[in-house]
């Protein structure tokens, strides 16, 4: 993972125990310079603890964190080249916007003019120019978020740490801020480490994402890789919707692997060699599946089922299919483009997908 | 006519307030007005002359050609005792207030930031001194500081002193020590509450932005706990200026305060109108001092930002 020297953060075999609980359980990550990197996982997966260890608010039980090649083990939080945007924004209520943004600069030996210019530039950067004299309690949620960003960025950290900064905003504002955050990161070129439990947010924003669960990193990959090529069941289910069929390898011919499942024999492509009899999961995204009233042609995987629920989502329609093979219904998503051909709500339907659109998971 | 929702909310509000308002009207506003009225009358022997006059107030500020010198300050008044005692009381209360805050703040800080479990137990422990009466606690100090008291007999028994120290009791210092002890527990609570209320992420943010622990305290913790601390300081300062029980019991002749004078005027000297005038002047001076203090530290700004 640390093959190149352009990694600004190296997390090496870090453990963090709270009593008997391992909040972070042997994590190693390399984060590249200038990258927008996300830590994604459900609450309690250790992502915030990891971020707080980067900031210096928590200390690893074992392992080491390096920032810019320097070990952070003995560097206190106030001397680290990191700055943080807190989940609650942590805007100082007794200071106005200008004083909040200039807070970190006052710890440096700067002239009065230099400081004023720095604060003004930072406020412009987050589109809050002219808000300097506002009191903290006069700000809206989105504005507080911007002040928190400006306050951290004005210190020119090597790494900006963001702890679910968009969580408290409403949906529309959150989407606007996502776009802005991405642009801002490109403009300033600072490495962002972003913690979120919202997979959509992580996919939208990040160059790379580390998916975490129970203190461990499951997969580190680009957004599209994560979606198209999850490396395990947990990642597959956490990112988007996924239909899973459990089974055993029956035969492997070339790239195509035939799997015996409760729904009959299904075929999928594998990129590793698999032994006959090995337990596997076939994973198929709902939008890769097709619905039809007739049995589809040979060479496709097909299942017979009955539609038990449908949801209209504007740009697509989502169906839940009960099949004889497994308890969990199969989710199928059909894009609505042009005139929609609705699936029949009565009688049997077929759901089918091409082998190369499925993914074989071994764990 | 049915009351509108706003109107009924208003009624409920005043309904809830009314017991307290009634009590304050009877027990506070009425006696205060009586005092004001009384201060405009004059005592003539055993009779009170009820014609309106400002004579009592003039008596308090009547100049004299031969000033009395008190603590190096010449006081050019014909009747300088009230002015001197008021000044002395204010200085003593100030000393008490400063000492109380200096001791209560670290205690409250410890409670808010260091104690993790059983905070309620700690708070209860703090109130233990209040389980006995105020009078008993003052007497206790008399025993501690007295001629044959705990300190003197203790020091004598270990041979540090041969004769009991006489400067412990019956002086302003004894009054200050006793008052500090009496008021300290009252102040821990409001300071504790204002510290406890501080969002911990603000402290982390300050550290993150480069503050050392001490700088963070000065820039975040102290200003954010200022309202509670100032409230606590006023809570001590205002009532202690007029206290008369403590100086009576442990103050001796040197530890007399303005409250003792008012008591004297009302009872032994049988000059209630003058006593009332002194009391009113004391209230006005304290009120003025508090206002100046609040204006100096910019309390209005603090409130609008924190609130």
């Amino acid at each position: 993972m640390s093959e190149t020297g352009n990694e600004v953060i190296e997390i090496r075999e870090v453990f963090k125990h709270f009593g008997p609980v391992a909040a972070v359980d042997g994590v190693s990550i390399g984060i590249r310079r200038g990258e927008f990197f996300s830590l994604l996982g459900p609450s309690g997966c250790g992502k915030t603890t990891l971020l707080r260890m980067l900031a210096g608010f928590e200390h690893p039980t074992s392992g080491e964190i390096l920032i810019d090649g320097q070990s952070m083990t003995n560097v206190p939080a106030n001397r680290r080249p990191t700055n943080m945007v807190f989940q609650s924004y942590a805007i100082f209520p007794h200071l106005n916007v200008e004083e909040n943004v200039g807070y970190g600069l006052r710890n440096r030996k700067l002239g009065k003019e230099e400081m004023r210019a720095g604060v003004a530039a930072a406020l412009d950067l987050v589109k809050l120019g002219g808000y300097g004299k506002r009191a903290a309690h006069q700000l809206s949620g989105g504005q507080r978020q911007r002040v928190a960003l400006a306050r951290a960025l004005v210190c020119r950290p090597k790494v900006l740490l963001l702890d679910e900064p968009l969580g408290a905003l409403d949906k529309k504002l959150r989407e606007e801020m996502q776009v802005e955050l991405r642009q801002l990161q490109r403009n300033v070129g600072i490495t962002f480490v972003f913690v979120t439990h919202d997979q959509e947010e992580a996919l939208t924003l990040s160059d790379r994402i580390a998916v975490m669960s129970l203190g461990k990193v499951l997969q580190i990959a680009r957004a599209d890789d994560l979606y198209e090529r999850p490396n395990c069941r947990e990642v597959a289910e956490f990112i988007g919707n996924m239909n899973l069929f459990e089974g055993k390898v029956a035969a492997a011919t070339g790239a195509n692997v035939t799997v015996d499942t409760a729904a009959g024999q299904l075929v999928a492509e594998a990129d590793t060699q698999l032994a006959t009899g090995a337990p596997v999961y076939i994973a198929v995204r709902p939008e890769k599946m097709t619905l039809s009233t007739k049995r589809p042609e040979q060479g496709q995987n097909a299942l017979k089922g009955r539609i038990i629920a449908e949801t209209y989502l504007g740009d697509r329609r989502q169906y839940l299919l009960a099949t004889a093979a497994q308890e969990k219904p199969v989710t199928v998503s059909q894009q609505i483009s042009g005139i929609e051909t609705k699936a029949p709500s009565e009688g049997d339907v077929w759901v089918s997908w091409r082998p190369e659109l499925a993914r074989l998971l071994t764990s | 006519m049915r009351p509108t929702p706003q109107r009924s909310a208003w009624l409920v509000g005043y309904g809830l307030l009314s017991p307290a308002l009634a009590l304050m009207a009877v027990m506070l506003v009425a006696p205060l007005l009586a005092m004001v009225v009384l201060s405009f009358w004059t005592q003539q022997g055993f009779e009170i002359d009820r014609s309106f006059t400002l004579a009592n107030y003039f008596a308090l500020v009547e100049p004299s050609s031969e000033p009395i010198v008190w603590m190096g300050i010449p006081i050019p008044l014909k009747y300088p005792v009230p002015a001197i005692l008021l000044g002395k009381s204010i200085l003593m209360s100030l000393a008490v207030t400063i000492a109380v805050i200096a001791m209560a703040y670290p205690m409250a800080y410890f409670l808010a930031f260091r104690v993790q479990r059983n905070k309620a137990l700690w708070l209860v422990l703090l109130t233990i001194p209040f389980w006995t009466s105020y009078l008993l606690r003052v007497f206790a100090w008399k025993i501690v500081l007295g001629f044959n008291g705990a300190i003197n007999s203790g020091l004598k028994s270990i041979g540090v002193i041969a004769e009991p120290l006489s400067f412990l009791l019956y002086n302003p210092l004894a009054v200050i020590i006793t008052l500090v002890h009496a008021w300290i527990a009252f102040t821990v609570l409001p300071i504790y509450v204002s510290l406890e209320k501080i969002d911990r992420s603000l402290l982390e943010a300050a550290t993150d932005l480069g503050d050392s622990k001490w700088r963070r305290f000065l820039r975040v913790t102290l200003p954010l706990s200022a309202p509670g601390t100032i409230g606590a300081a006023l809570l001590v300062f205002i009532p202690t200026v007029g206290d008369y029980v403590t100086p009576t019991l442990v103050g001796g002749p040197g530890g007399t305060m303005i409250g003792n004078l008012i008591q004297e005027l009302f009872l032994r000297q049988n000059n209630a109108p003058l006593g009332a005038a002194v009391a009113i002047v004391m209230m006005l001076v304290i009120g003025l001092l508090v206002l100046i203090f609040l204006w100096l530290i910019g309390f209005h700004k603090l409130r609008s930002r924190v609130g």
Side-chain angles (χ1 to χ4, degrees):
Chain A
M1 207 167 290
S2 51
E3 76 283 356
T4 49
N6 69 348
E7 278 168 354
V8 67
I9 297 179
E10 284 175 69
I11 300 168
R12 291 180 182 166
E13 277 299 305
V14 163
F15 287 82
K16 175 67 187 179
H17 293 270
F18 292 111
V21 186
V24 173
D25 196 5
V27 166
S28 295
I29 303 176
I31 298 173
R32 296 168 194 151
R33 201 176 298 279
E35 182 172 45
F36 198 123
F37 192 92
S38 289
L39 298 169
L40 173 66
S43 59
C45 73
K47 55 190 193 299
T48 298
T49 308
L50 194 58
L51 193 80
R52 290 172 58 79
M53 287 196 281
L54 291 176
F57 299 136
E58 307 280 357
H59 299 282
T61 311
S62 71
E64 195 181 20
I65 292 169
L66 284 83
I67 298 179
D68 221 11
Q70 259 193 318
S71 170
M72 288 294 121
T73 309
N74 294 316
V75 182
N78 61 330
R79 301 202 180 280
R80 293 199 179 188
T82 58
N83 281 111
M84 185 139 161
V85 175
F86 289 81
Q87 189 170 15
S88 61
Y89 311 141
I91 303 297
F92 299 116
H94 58 302
L95 303 177
N96 67 20
V97 169
E98 221 169 56
E99 291 161 335
N100 260 287
V101 174
Y103 195 97
L105 293 182
R106 286 197 45 192
N107 282 325
R108 300 173 185 188
K109 305 234 172 332
L110 291 182
K112 219 173 185 175
E113 266 318 301
E114 208 175 339
M115 216 173 101
R116 209 199 312 271
V119 169
L123 282 176
D124 282 339
L125 195 66
V126 297
K127 299 178 182 161
L128 278 183
Y131 281 74
K133 299 293 178 208
R134 286 276 179 104
H137 66 89
Q138 292 174 310
L139 299 173
S140 68
Q143 288 167 340
R144 297 171 85 82
Q145 150 90 70
R146 286 158 198 265
V147 172
L149 263 171
R151 186 177 70 181
L153 285 172
V154 79
C155 300
R156 295 252 129 213
K158 283 179 180 152
V159 181
L160 185 73
L161 308 169
L162 302 104
D163 185 10
E164 308 220 15
L166 307 179
L169 305 179
D170 61 62
K171 189 167 156 48
K172 190 124 178 32
L173 190 57
R174 193 163 65 223
E175 282 166 2
E176 278 174 34
M177 279 309 292
Q178 284 176 5
V179 177
E180 262 186 52
L181 207 57
R182 186 72 244 227
Q183 282 173 350
L184 190 68
Q185 195 266 339
R186 296 237 166 91
N187 290 341
V188 296
I190 291 173
T191 310
F192 277 31
V193 180
F194 186 90
V195 159
T196 181
H197 66 268
D198 183 337
Q199 42 117 346
E200 216 171 295
E201 197 167 275
L203 295 180
T204 314
L205 288 169
S206 323
D207 292 316
R208 287 193 307 151
I209 300 163
V211 183
M212 291 185 69
S213 172
L214 299 172
K216 289 186 195 307
V217 173
L218 299 175
Q219 188 172 7
I220 303 174
R222 289 197 341 233
D224 49 352
D225 275 340
L226 217 51
Y227 190 80
E228 300 291 345
R229 283 175 285 281
N231 68 355
C232 65
R233 223 181 113 185
E234 234 182 314
V235 173
E237 283 186 313
F238 190 69
I239 311 280
N241 263 321
M242 187 67 98
N243 295 303
L244 290 167
F245 304 96
E246 194 178 353
K248 283 189 164 65
V249 175
T253 49
N256 277 3
V257 176
T258 309
V259 179
D260 275 329
T261 72
Q265 286 206 328
L266 298 173
V267 182
E269 280 187 0
D271 27 58
T272 50
Q273 208 63 38
L274 288 167
T276 309
V280 289
Y281 294 93
I282 290 184
V284 198
R285 294 283 179 199
E287 71 276 10
K288 315 257 185 208
M289 294 174 146
T290 318
L291 277 180
S292 54
T293 43
K294 288 195 205 102
R295 190 187 166 91
E297 58 196 86
Q298 286 295 311
Q300 295 218 21
N301 295 299
L303 283 174
K304 199 166 74 173
R306 214 162 25 77
I307 293 170
I308 53 169
E310 63 166 271
T311 320
Y312 176 67
L313 295 163
D315 55 341
R316 70 205 139 91
R317 202 178 279 276
Q318 193 162 299
Y319 300 94
L320 286 184
L321 264 79
T323 58
Q326 56 183 11
E327 209 175 309
K328 199 175 170 234
V330 175
T331 310
V332 183
S333 174
Q334 302 288 275
Q335 196 72 29
I336 303 170
S337 49
I339 297 158
E340 191 194 2
T341 46
K342 263 193 76 180
S345 49
E346 295 281 322
D348 287 345
V349 289
W350 289 88
V351 55
S352 59
W353 67 93
R354 299 217 306 275
E356 64 270 29
L357 296 178
R359 175 107 183 126
L360 258 186
L361 303 174
T362 52
S363 60
Chain B
M1 200 178 84
R2 281 170 59 85
T4 62
Q6 288 90 343
R7 201 178 156 78
S8 69
W10 183 87
L11 276 174
V12 168
Y14 275 92
L16 289 171
L17 271 177
S18 58
L21 285 178
L23 192 72
M24 277 174 74
V26 175
M27 306 296 286
L28 190 75
V29 179
L32 205 59
L33 286 176
M35 286 272 281
V36 173
V37 170
L38 188 61
S39 72
F40 293 127
W41 294 343
T42 41
Q43 187 82 35
Q44 304 291 344
F46 291 106
E47 299 291 314
I48 283 182
D49 178 357
R50 301 199 169 171
S51 48
F52 178 88
T53 168
L54 289 173
N56 292 321
Y57 292 97
F58 282 131
L60 294 178
V61 293
E62 196 179 337
S64 116
S65 44
E66 325 155 14
I68 276 189
V69 177
W70 176 69
M71 282 174 65
I73 311 159
I75 298 176
L77 294 175
K78 208 162 190 179
Y79 179 42
V81 178
I84 289 174
L85 282 183
L86 184 57
K88 191 169 123 192
S89 301
I90 286 168
L91 289 179
M92 282 168 69
S93 285
L94 216 57
V96 169
T97 307
I98 290 167
V100 163
I101 298 296
M103 286 191 247
Y105 197 96
M107 248 198 273
Y109 188 93
F110 173 79
L111 212 58
F113 291 109
R114 291 281 176 273
V115 177
Q116 303 292 339
R117 276 173 292 177
N118 298 329
K119 284 197 184 195
L121 178 71
W122 280 80
L123 286 172
V124 170
L125 288 178
L126 271 173
T127 64
I128 281 182
F130 290 92
W131 296 5
T132 55
S133 94
Y134 177 58
L135 214 56
L136 280 178
R137 276 178 283 140
V138 180
F139 268 114
W141 276 105
K142 214 170 160 158
I143 292 166
V144 172
L145 300 173
F147 194 74
N148 289 316
I151 292 180
N152 275 330
S153 48
L155 288 177
K156 239 167 82 174
S157 69
I158 58 169
V160 177
I161 51 172
E163 288 299 310
L165 305 169
S166 55
F167 63 82
L168 291 175
L169 195 57
Y170 301 128
N171 59 32
L173 188 67
V175 177
I176 289 172
I177 290 174
T178 309
L179 284 175
V180 166
H181 176 242
W183 286 93
I184 193 156
F186 279 120
T187 54
V188 174
L189 217 58
I191 301 175
Y192 164 76
V193 169
S194 68
L195 285 169
E196 184 67 31
K197 240 179 25 188
I198 296 176
D199 183 354
R200 298 304 188 262
S201 68
L202 294 176
L203 303 179
E204 286 187 342
T207 304
D208 187 63
L209 292 164
D211 273 0
S212 63
K213 277 186 180 151
W214 177 239
R215 265 184 82 75
R216 179 181 82 184
F217 173 76
L218 290 180
R219 294 177 75 188
V220 180
T221 313
L222 194 59
L224 287 179
S225 62
T229 310
I230 290 162
L234 296 180
L235 196 72
V236 177
F237 179 73
I238 295 171
T240 48
V241 174
D243 192 89
Y244 74 93
V245 177
T246 307
T248 305
L249 291 173
V250 299
T256 318
M257 289 171 79
I258 186 86
N260 301 106
L261 174 70
I262 296 170
Q263 186 199 18
E264 278 269 317
L265 288 170
F266 267 92
L267 301 177
R268 209 169 310 165
Q269 297 190 19
N270 193 25
N271 193 347
L274 186 60
V278 173
I280 300 287
V281 168
M282 179 188 89
M283 278 176 54
L284 292 177
V285 170
I286 293 174
L288 195 69
L289 282 177
V290 168
L291 285 180
I292 291 173
F293 170 69
L294 291 180
W295 177 76
L296 277 179
I297 57 163
F299 195 62
H300 57 289
K301 268 196 286 179
L302 270 179
R303 273 195 43 171
S304 72
R305 281 178 186 181
V306 174

